[in-house]
């Protein structure tokens, strides 16, 4: 009769608590701190750009005021000229104002475009750095024990699968051709017991007996991925990181 080993049980609990502490301290907090710093930098650069625009607007107003003063000073001289010279001078003045207005409009458009491009680049850079650091950290934390814990979560999710997702899974299973096997990829080898549990759970969720082929894929980091025809069920760190990266790039 197998005896219950309290020492192993307590060590497993301590191992789990240490893992949670490491994730909290060295993954989530640094990533959040880095994103906050990036966001603050974007805010500072946006405020600096706004200040530059305000200064440019002030200079433009100052120039227009000086131009108006100059026109006023020249009024006495223009009265002494004939109508043709006055018309030419007025035309030239209007053309100059229009040119200044056009250049000012172009400058505003260029500034807005540069600011938007800079903000987008900073966001992509922050997301890329966060993704890389998270992936590197999770690679170091990956272990067969973590894969087994994710398998437990995967099995629990199958039991609580929404009706819409279960319908999609059953539809994909029904469309499998004869002798087709469901491919289950895992970051670490699954025990025979875990393979049997995954087989039973997926067959039950699909509503029919399925054939399975288990393979290892270290690229998943930890966890597993089940491919049932056109339907894929993800429960691994690699797919979660990829989802995080897509959300960041489209945010």
């Amino acid at each position: 009769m197998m005896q219950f080993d309290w020492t192993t049980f307590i060590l497993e609990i301590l191992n789990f608590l240490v893992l949670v502490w490491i994730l909290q301290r060295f993954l989530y907090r640094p990533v959040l701190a880095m994103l906050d710093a990036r966001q603050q930098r974007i805010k500072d650069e946006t405020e600096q750009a706004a200040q530059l625009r305000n200064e440019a607007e002030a200079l433009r107003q100052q120039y227009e005021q000086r131009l108006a003063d100059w026109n006023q000073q020249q009024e006495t001289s223009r009265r002494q000229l004939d109508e043709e010279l006055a018309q030419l001078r007025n035309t030239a003045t209007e053309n100059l104002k229009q040119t200044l207005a056009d250049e000012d409009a172009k400058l505003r458009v260029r500034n807005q475009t540069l600011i938007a491009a800079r903000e987008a680049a900073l966001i992509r850079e922050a997301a890329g750095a966060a993704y890389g650091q998270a992936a590197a950290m999770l690679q170091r934390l990956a272990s067969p024990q973590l894969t087994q814990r994710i398998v437990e979560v995967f099995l629990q999710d199958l039991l609580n699968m929404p009706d819409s997702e279960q319908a999609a899974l059953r539809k994909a299973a029904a469309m499998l051709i004869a002798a087709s096997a469901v491919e289950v990829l895992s970051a670490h080898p699954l025990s025979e017991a875990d393979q049997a549990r995954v087989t039973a759970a997926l067959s039950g969720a699909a509503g029919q007996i399925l054939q399975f082929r288990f393979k290892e894929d270290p690229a998943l980091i930890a966890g597993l991925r089940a491919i049932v025809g056109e339907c894929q069920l993800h429960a691994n760190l690699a797919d979660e990181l990829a989802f995080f990266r897509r959300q960041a790039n489209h945010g």
Side-chain angles (χ1 to χ4, degrees):
M1 180 177 180
M2 182 180 295
Q3 296 183 353
F4 186 83
D5 191 342
W6 281 100
T7 301
T8 302
F9 178 73
I10 294 174
L11 289 176
E12 285 294 328
I13 293 177
L14 291 177
N15 183 36
F16 176 74
L17 294 176
V18 169
L19 176 62
V20 171
W21 182 83
I22 291 174
L23 288 173
Q24 175 69 17
R25 182 173 182 84
F26 296 101
L27 177 61
Y28 298 117
R29 288 183 179 176
V31 169
L32 292 177
M34 182 184 63
L35 291 177
D36 290 339
R38 294 288 186 184
Q39 186 175 7
Q40 183 62 40
R41 185 188 305 173
I42 292 172
K43 180 179 178 182
D44 294 341
E45 292 182 358
T46 301
E47 291 176 353
Q48 183 179 5
Q51 182 179 359
L52 292 175
R53 287 199 302 271
N54 292 335
E55 292 175 357
E57 179 63 19
L59 290 175
R60 186 184 66 82
Q61 293 178 356
Q62 182 180 4
Y63 180 83
E64 290 182 351
Q65 182 62 42
R66 290 180 179 178
L67 181 62
D69 294 339
W70 179 82
N71 288 333
Q72 184 65 33
Q73 293 173 2
Q74 294 298 318
E75 185 64 27
T76 301
S77 299
R78 283 198 298 268
R79 293 175 183 175
Q80 299 175 2
L81 300 177
D82 55 46
E83 293 182 358
E84 182 178 359
L85 292 177
Q87 183 63 36
L88 291 174
R89 189 161 40 249
N90 289 336
T91 301
T93 302
E94 291 300 324
N95 290 339
L96 178 59
K97 289 182 178 180
Q98 185 61 45
T99 300
L100 291 173
D102 293 342
E103 290 298 325
D104 183 66
K106 292 178 181 178
L107 179 61
R108 287 199 299 269
V109 171
R110 284 197 297 268
N111 285 340
Q112 292 173 356
T113 302
L114 290 174
I115 292 171
R118 179 59 177 167
E119 290 178 350
L122 289 174
I123 291 174
R124 288 194 298 269
E125 181 183 351
Y131 175 84
Q133 292 181 2
M137 179 62 70
L138 291 177
Q139 285 281 5
R140 297 175 60 186
L141 295 175
S143 65
Q145 293 78 11
L146 182 56
T147 291
Q148 187 174 13
R149 292 190 181 98
I150 294 177
V151 169
E152 298 293 338
V153 175
F154 176 77
L155 295 174
Q156 185 64 38
D157 289 344
L158 283 178
L159 293 176
N160 301 322
M161 180 179 291
D163 293 340
S164 59
E165 295 182 7
Q166 188 174 31
L169 174 62
R170 294 193 172 190
K171 180 179 178 181
M175 295 177 63
L176 291 174
I177 63 176
S180 294
V182 173
E183 189 172 62
V184 178
L185 306 175
S186 61
H188 301 88
L190 298 182
S191 65
E192 293 183 359
D194 284 338
Q195 290 184 11
R197 294 169 66 198
V198 170
T199 298
L202 278 173
S203 295
Q208 64 183 71
I209 301 299
L210 300 173
Q211 300 297 323
F212 288 83
R213 182 170 61 252
F214 290 87
K215 293 183 179 180
E216 294 180 36
D217 186 359
L220 298 180
I221 303 177
L224 74 164
R225 179 194 297 147
I227 304 174
V228 185
E230 298 181 353
C231 182
Q232 292 192 17
L233 304 177
H234 305 282
N236 61 82
L237 298 184
D239 287 330
E240 292 298 324
L241 282 173
F243 175 78
F244 164 74
R245 190 172 195 176
R246 288 194 300 271
Q247 293 296 107
N249 289 335
H250 290 86

